[in-house]
Amino acid sequence: MTAAPRNPPRWRDSLFGAHKIRAACRFVVAPDIAPQAIEDVADALRAEGFTLAEAPDGVVVLRRGSVIGDTILNGTGLTLITKRIGPLSVKAIVVVHAAPSGEDAEVTASMLAGDELAPVITGAVDAVIDRLIARGIPVDGPGWTRSVDLPRENIGHPKTAREHGLLR
C-alpha cells in the first residue's frame, strides 16, 4: 500500500449500520493476504451456519436457509420468534472474492440475499477485518456500502452475480 492505510469503517460506523440491508464490504490488502482473507470470511460465515455453494474459480459463494423457510417465517408472523432466538432458516447468499487494485487486492464480501441476516454477516466480516489489523496487516478501503452500489463489473453486484448464475 502506497499511503498509510486508513482502516475501513465497520458496519456500525457506516451510514447503513442501523439498517438491515443487503450490503457489501470492500477492503484492500496485499495480494498475498487476499486468499487468506477470503478464507477467513468464509470460515466466519460457516461458523454462522452458512454452507459453501458451487462457484467459479476465485469466487466463494456461501448460502444459508431457503426460500421456503424464508417465506414461512416472514409470511406467517413467525418472525416474532426469530427476533427472540435469532434467525432460523432465513435465506441469505454471500459472495466473497478478490480483484487486483493497483499493487494491492480488493476483497469484496457482498450480500446478494439476506436482509434479516445482515447483522450476522456484517459482524462476521468486521471481525475478520479486526483480526487482520490486530495481526499488524495493513487494511485499507472504502468499507461498507449497499450491494447495488458496487461497480457493475464487480461480481458482488446483484445484477452481475445473477448473470454469472450465483443468485438462485
Side-chain angles (χ1 to χ4, degrees):
M1 291 184 198
T2 54
R6 60 171 187 79
N7 297 333
R10 300 310 180 276
W11 176 251
R12 66 188 172 277
D13 301 326
S14 74
L15 296 173
F16 313 103
H19 307 285
K20 290 182 180 176
I21 63 166
R22 293 179 194 155
C25 184
R26 295 184 302 156
F27 60 96
V28 178
V29 293
D32 58 324
I33 301 295
Q36 186 60 53
I38 292 169
E39 187 62 32
D40 289 350
V41 170
D43 288 345
L45 291 173
R46 281 196 300 259
E48 295 292 344
F50 284 78
T51 57
L52 288 173
E54 286 187 43
D57 286 342
V59 177
V60 174
V61 176
L62 298 124
R63 297 178 188 274
R64 179 172 162 178
S66 65
V67 173
I68 294 170
D70 198 26
T71 303
I72 290 171
L73 288 172
N74 289 326
T76 63
L78 291 175
T79 54
L80 294 174
I81 294 171
T82 66
K83 289 189 184 345
R84 289 194 178 269
I85 63 174
L88 299 172
S89 64
V90 177
K91 182 180 178 185
I93 302 171
V94 178
V95 171
V96 186
H97 70 98
S101 176
E103 296 176 7
D104 299 312
E106 182 178 79
V107 177
T108 301
S110 178
M111 297 167 40
L112 301 178
D115 299 4
E116 287 296 316
L117 290 173
V120 172
I121 297 165
T122 58
V125 174
D126 280 349
V128 168
I129 293 170
D130 290 340
R131 285 193 299 274
L132 290 170
I133 292 168
R135 289 179 19 216
I137 295 170
V139 180
D140 200 347
W144 290 98
T145 186
R146 297 180 315 160
S147 296
V148 295
D149 292 335
L150 288 172
R152 185 67 165 80
E153 64 274 5
N154 189 314
I155 201 160
H157 188 284
K159 287 183 180 178
T160 307
R162 184 171 281 111
E163 291 168 357
H164 284 85
L166 303 178
L167 187 60
R168 293 183 227 143

